[in-house]
Amino acid sequence: MAWRQLLLASGLLAAVLLTMLQEGTGASVGTQQVAEQEAQEDAEQKIFMQESDASNFLKKRDKRSPKSRDEANAENRQKLRADELRREYHEEQGNEFENFVEEQNDEQEERSREAIEQWRQWHYDGLYPSYLYNRHHI
């Protein structure tokens, strides 16, 4: 039983001592109160918006309300710009493909021309123009 009384008395003494120390440091040091006020002002700045931000927030329209003319114009400009970029991209891709096809056709024509020239040289019989092209079909 005595140990319970001792424990209760020491707990009560510690509580009284802590409250006295807190009051004493608060009264003796004025900088702690200034720091608390600054912390409170910082918290207010974090919670509350600037006036311009608040007015812009309140000016935002609802989802169902009609768009302003400026909003519609800005949106149309964005769409037109996206369309223009898309058109330029596809035009560029088409031009690249046309160039590729043209190069392929040129290479094929060059190969076939060389093959025809080789064939003519092989079959040339000394007459000009060559005999095969001057045949008279009966």
Side-chain angles (χ1 to χ4, degrees), residues 3 16 21 24-25 35 38 45 47 58 65 68 73 79-80 83 92-93 98 101 111 119 130-131 134:
W3 59 274
V16 169
L21 284 176
T25 57
E38 288 177 0
Q45 286 178 352
I47 293 173
L58 294 175
S65 65
S68 69
N73 288 340
K79 287 179 184 177
L80 290 173
D83 290 343
E92 183 178 334
Q93 292 296 317
E98 285 178 9
V101 169
R111 286 193 296 271
W119 185 87
S130 65
Y131 170 73
N134 288 326

Side-chain angles (χ1 to χ4, degrees), residues 13-68:
L13 182 64
V16 169
L17 187 61
L18 285 175
T19 55
M20 290 179 79
L21 284 176
Q22 284 181 349
E23 289 176 6
T25 57
S28 66
V29 180
T31 58
Q32 188 175 17
Q33 291 175 350
V34 173
E36 287 177 6
Q37 287 178 352
E38 288 177 0
Q40 186 177 7
E41 289 174 2
D42 290 341
E44 287 177 1
Q45 286 178 352
K46 289 180 183 176
I47 293 173
F48 298 107
M49 299 176 144
Q50 295 291 332
E51 287 182 33
S52 59
D53 294 339
S55 64
N56 287 340
F57 179 78
L58 294 175
K59 286 180 184 175
K60 286 185 179 174
R61 62 180 182 82
D62 293 335
K63 287 184 179 180
R64 291 178 179 255
S65 65
K67 295 179 186 175
S68 69

Side-chain angles (χ1 to χ4, degrees), residues 62-116:
D62 293 335
K63 287 184 179 180
R64 291 178 179 255
S65 65
K67 295 179 186 175
S68 69
R69 183 169 294 214
D70 294 333
E71 278 182 304
N73 288 340
E75 198 171 304
N76 284 337
R77 278 195 304 271
Q78 286 177 339
K79 287 179 184 177
L80 290 173
R81 179 66 180 145
D83 290 343
E84 182 181 348
L85 290 174
R86 193 177 304 114
R87 186 170 37 253
E88 287 176 2
Y89 172 77
H90 288 296
E91 184 177 335
E92 183 178 334
Q93 292 296 317
N95 290 340
E96 287 180 9
F97 182 70
E98 285 178 9
N99 291 341
F100 171 74
V101 169
E102 188 174 338
E103 287 177 10
Q104 291 292 324
N105 289 341
D106 289 346
E107 290 175 8
Q108 181 63 38
E109 288 175 9
E110 179 75 19
R111 286 193 296 271
S112 63
R113 188 183 58 75
E114 288 175 359
I116 291 170

